[in-house]
Amino acid sequence: MTEKENGLADDPGWFELKFPDLLSADSVREVHARIVAEWDYLQRSACQMAAGRALWKHVIHDPLADLLAGEACLRNLHEKIKKDRSNNAREMSGVILAVRTLWFDSKIEGALTSFNGRDSQVVLLGAGMDTRAYRLSCLKESDVFEVDFPELLQAKANLIKIAIESPYEHHHHQQIAKSLNRVAADIRSSDWLEKLQSAGFAPEKNTVWVLEGLLYYFTHSQAMQVLETIADKCNITHTVLLADFMNKPSTTLSNSVFHFYCDWPDHLLPSLGFSSTKLSQIGDPDAHFGLMHDPLNLFNKIRSLPRSLQTHPDDGKPCCRLYLVQASGSPLLPPIE
């Protein structure tokens, strides 16, 4: 099996682990030492996602990813990829993060294009170490809101400030979005929408809601509260939801971490008020990005099976699926019969 088949770059030099100089700065080391010492698993997952963008840089351009990930997360993922390469694994560590990132990037751009240049907002719930406001040109006419824990947003702001003020780095890290508002809130609580509106969110504006790597950390009631809140906005303005959902077998991957699941999100979301829903799985034509060539990798093997199957008929292993879902609604759009 070639490097290309499992998503890696053909150039062997891509895999060399090189840290940017800024990672060794005392101010940066201090921030990451506090992250390692004080943050829980959910908060640290933000740095793991940044590491995925950093180490899959042959397909994702994110100059801030290394800095936001930190040395510990970069080394950890690098070791996993190194092990996968030596074992000639069909599913390389981080490939899901890469495909998922590229899918969300492309769907955000598509949603904003569908607004035909009208005033728009993009809300990143559980934004973590997301850098789209700095790297996606499609956001230049949009107001961006990042909602997450206060200590996470503060650490991220501090790291980006260090990068921007660096005499060697700042030209790579200028904000592209029309505006960027960071909203400190726990999305599991009932007051996050109020805090979002206090930060300038306008309910009447066309809005793209991005829930990347978020819902499955919630309880069922917490996840439904968030989805229902967003669905209600379809009665006010053109609303697009982009989210990833785990099916039930996927939650068994880590019983203490993953809770919410939905085997049929394309049925759930219309019942909440969305008039159009499109579901993809990793490896589908719009969720491939040249990283899923091997027909025998886990994702390609599972997506060819009926979604109702919970275990694979060949080996009895759980059919763990990650659904990438785009849903939309508008007061001007009649429901699909």
Side-chain angles (χ1 to χ4, degrees), residues 1 6 79-92:
M1 183 165 51
N6 54 26
E79 283 301 312
K80 290 180 179 178
I81 295 176
K82 188 176 177 181
K83 183 178 179 181
D84 288 343
R85 289 183 84 208
S86 65
N87 293 334
N88 206 23
R90 296 187 182 276
E91 300 85 40
M92 303 300 294

Side-chain angles (χ1 to χ4, degrees), residues 29-323:
R29 288 186 179 278
E30 182 181 326
V31 173
H32 279 293
R34 195 159 55 248
I35 288 172
V36 171
E38 299 175 6
W39 287 15
D40 62 19
Y41 179 88
L42 178 56
Q43 294 166 311
R44 291 197 306 272
S45 69
C47 297
Q48 293 163 3
M49 288 176 63
R53 298 195 303 273
L55 293 185
W56 287 78
K57 56 183 173 287
H58 59 292
V59 291
I60 300 170
H61 178 66
D62 185 352
L64 285 163
D66 294 277
L67 182 68
L68 297 176
E71 284 192 27
C73 281
L74 290 170
R75 289 188 189 279
N76 182 265
L77 182 55
H78 184 265
E79 283 301 312
K80 290 180 179 178
I81 295 176
K82 188 176 177 181
K83 183 178 179 181
D84 288 343
R85 289 183 84 208
S86 65
N87 293 334
N88 206 23
R90 296 187 182 276
E91 300 85 40
M92 303 300 294
S93 293
V95 70
I96 290 184
L97 291 179
V99 170
R100 192 178 70 183
T101 297
L102 293 168
W103 184 88
F104 275 93
D105 287 354
S106 66
K107 298 305 179 184
I108 290 170
E109 182 175 7
L112 292 174
T113 300
S114 75
F115 294 160
N116 296 318
R118 294 191 294 273
D119 216 6
S120 61
Q121 305 168 120
V122 175
V123 180
L124 303 160
L125 289 185
M129 295 297 183
D130 189 287
T131 59
R132 290 187 169 96
Y134 297 86
R135 64 180 184 82
L136 292 189
S137 59
C138 63
L139 294 177
K140 63 182 183 295
E141 299 299 329
S142 298
D143 299 310
V144 175
F145 297 86
E146 297 181 344
V147 186
D148 215 317
F149 300 114
E151 59 272 24
L152 192 155
L153 293 178
Q154 188 58 59
K156 176 181 175 180
N158 290 344
L159 289 168
I160 293 178
K161 184 173 184 287
I162 292 168
I164 290 174
E165 292 179 350
S166 165
Y168 307 106
E169 300 280 344
H170 70 281
H171 61 284
H172 295 300
H173 309 312
Q174 297 304 309
Q175 180 181 308
I176 295 174
K178 178 182 174 183
S179 70
L180 174 59
N181 302 276
R182 295 191 173 101
V183 184
D186 186 340
I187 307 160
R188 298 169 298 186
S189 65
S190 59
D191 62 350
W192 65 267
L193 181 60
E194 181 182 339
K195 291 180 177 179
L196 179 62
Q197 291 175 330
S198 296
F201 172 81
E204 70 279 2
K205 284 187 180 179
N206 298 320
T207 306
V208 182
W209 297 83
V210 179
L211 282 63
E212 181 183 13
L214 177 70
L215 287 172
Y216 25 85
Y217 291 104
F218 290 178
T219 65
H220 182 82
S221 60
Q222 290 166 346
M224 290 302 298
Q225 183 268 330
V226 170
L227 292 173
E228 288 167 359
T229 298
I230 296 172
D232 284 345
K233 300 295 176 268
C234 295
N235 298 317
I236 301 172
T237 189
H238 192 166
T239 300
V240 175
L241 168 71
L242 303 174
D244 56 328
F245 292 77
M246 282 183 173
N247 69 342
K248 186 175 182 179
S250 295
T251 61
T252 64
L253 295 172
S254 181
N255 287 325
S256 62
V257 175
F258 301 135
H259 305 287
F260 176 71
Y261 66 87
C262 183
D263 291 317
W264 303 93
D266 45 340
H267 296 177
L268 170 66
L269 295 175
S271 75
L272 299 180
F274 290 98
S275 55
S276 175
T277 306
K278 184 177 187 300
L279 177 145
S280 301
Q281 297 184 65
I282 302 290
D284 281 351
D286 70 333
H288 184 289
F289 304 100
L291 302 178
M292 294 282 130
H293 291 285
D294 183 1
L296 295 180
N297 75 41
L298 177 66
F299 313 107
N300 285 330
K301 284 174 66 177
I302 288 180
R303 72 189 182 90
S304 64
L305 297 173
R307 284 166 52 194
S308 56
L309 286 181
Q310 299 286 299
T311 56
H312 200 291
D314 292 344
D315 53 23
K317 293 182 178 178
C319 288
C320 298
R321 301 175 189 263
L322 183 71
Y323 297 123

Side-chain angles (χ1 to χ4, degrees), residues 5-19:
E5 284 179 316
N6 54 26
L8 300 182
D10 293 326
D11 176 13
W14 81 273
F15 189 65
E16 186 179 350
L17 186 59
K18 296 179 181 178
F19 295 132

